[in-house]
Amino acid sequence: MNPNKHFYRIDDYSELSLYGKNKRSISLIVLEQDYNLHKELLEKIMGSVQLDMEEDLSLCVISDKNKRVQLKDHEILAKSKHLFLFGIESKTLSCQFEFHNYRPIITEEFIIHPLDLLQDLSSDINKKKILWSYLKKIFK
């Protein structure tokens, strides 16, 4: 092995499960364990802003938070204009910048909306209020 060469480990990609028709070009990205425990909460959140989980949105469930996801490799995600990330870290999406909850990030392809984990929202009324206020601004 040549000591002057540098090798970088590239993480495996996470398996994704995708659901929904995405008619409004909005994708929700959640971790599998968080989604499985709080599916009903997510449905209520989206219903509160008159979005139908099956028709209006796409739901992307990430099986392993320690692996990366390539958004453009998935047609339904690549067509989305808004990505709502429930507890997803920037490294999971291979982004070179940090996410800060409730501070949208505008890229050439998407508007990224970093949000709290569903678990945190389920147990913290103040975080629910912050989320509700944020969603009202977006879905006026």
Side-chain angles (χ1 to χ4, degrees):
M1 179 186 237
N2 184 340
N4 295 324
K5 291 195 177 197
H6 298 279
F7 294 93
Y8 298 95
R9 187 178 136 253
I10 298 187
D11 295 330
D12 293 331
Y13 291 104
S14 179
E15 288 187 33
L16 300 179
S17 298
L18 293 167
Y19 309 94
K21 296 179 182 172
N22 201 16
K23 289 182 178 177
R24 299 265 312 264
S25 298
I26 299 169
S27 289
L28 311 178
I29 303 177
V30 298
L31 299 171
E32 183 175 48
Q33 183 177 5
D34 196 37
Y35 176 70
N36 288 341
L37 293 172
H38 303 286
K39 178 181 178 180
E40 187 176 305
L41 173 62
L42 183 59
E43 291 170 355
K44 286 181 182 179
I45 290 168
M46 293 301 106
S48 73
V49 289
Q50 284 76 49
L51 292 172
D52 181 86
M53 293 286 291
E54 180 63 32
E55 295 293 321
D56 296 330
L57 310 168
S58 69
L59 174 65
C60 171
V61 180
I62 298 174
S63 64
D64 187 341
K65 72 176 185 175
N66 296 314
K67 294 183 179 181
R68 294 183 302 146
V69 173
Q70 288 291 76
L71 297 174
K72 291 189 176 202
D73 289 349
H74 304 280
E75 183 179 341
I76 200 161
L77 291 175
K79 289 182 178 180
S80 293
K81 294 187 179 14
H82 291 270
L83 303 177
F84 288 85
L85 314 178
F86 288 88
I88 305 298
E89 295 178 9
S90 60
K91 68 179 182 179
T92 303
L93 300 182
S94 302
C95 293
Q96 300 299 316
F97 47 85
E98 290 298 313
F99 295 161
H100 301 282
N101 288 350
Y102 306 102
R103 292 187 190 164
I105 300 160
I106 300 172
T107 71
E108 291 177 8
E109 294 92 11
F110 315 105
I111 299 175
I112 299 171
H113 304 274
L115 308 171
D116 290 304
L117 275 168
L118 294 170
Q119 168 70 38
D120 296 343
L121 291 166
S122 73
S123 61
D124 188 327
I125 191 93
N126 289 324
K127 287 184 180 190
K128 283 181 188 174
K129 288 178 183 178
I130 292 168
L131 174 64
W132 174 240
S133 176
Y134 183 78
L135 292 176
K136 283 195 310 186
K137 288 178 194 173
I138 301 212
F139 299 106
K140 294 178 185 175

